[in-house]
Amino acid sequence: MGTSVLSLRIDHDLLERLREHAARRGMSVQDYVVRTLIRDDFDERFQTAVEETEKFYGIA
């Protein structure tokens, strides 16, 4: 799997909050943000799968 670069311009206060959250977990800001994005993507895909299953079985 290859990698790409994503550059973001963010507010100073937000960056400081990200640094604090990452530090609590012993992570870099980059790793923390990537992990958060991956978790959010999984949650979204999982919810979609649940909704599709409910439609299939007529639960929803």
Side-chain angles (χ1 to χ4, degrees):
M1 180 167 90
T3 62
S4 298
V5 174
L6 172 65
S7 177
L8 299 172
R9 184 181 307 254
I10 62 173
D11 179 80
H12 175 76
D13 294 336
L14 175 57
L15 179 58
E16 288 305 311
R17 289 198 323 262
L18 288 171
R19 284 183 178 144
E20 290 172 12
H21 288 290
R24 279 188 234 139
R25 291 164 179 79
M27 304 169 76
S28 69
V29 172
Q30 177 180 337
D31 289 342
Y32 177 78
V33 170
V34 168
R35 181 175 156 191
T36 301
L37 291 171
I38 290 169
R39 183 178 60 237
D40 185 59
D41 180 58
F42 171 80
D43 291 347
E44 186 175 310
R45 288 183 289 130
F46 181 76
Q47 183 60 40
T48 300
V50 168
E51 290 168 0
E52 291 297 319
T53 300
E54 289 175 345
K55 285 180 192 175
F56 181 78
Y57 287 105
I59 298 170

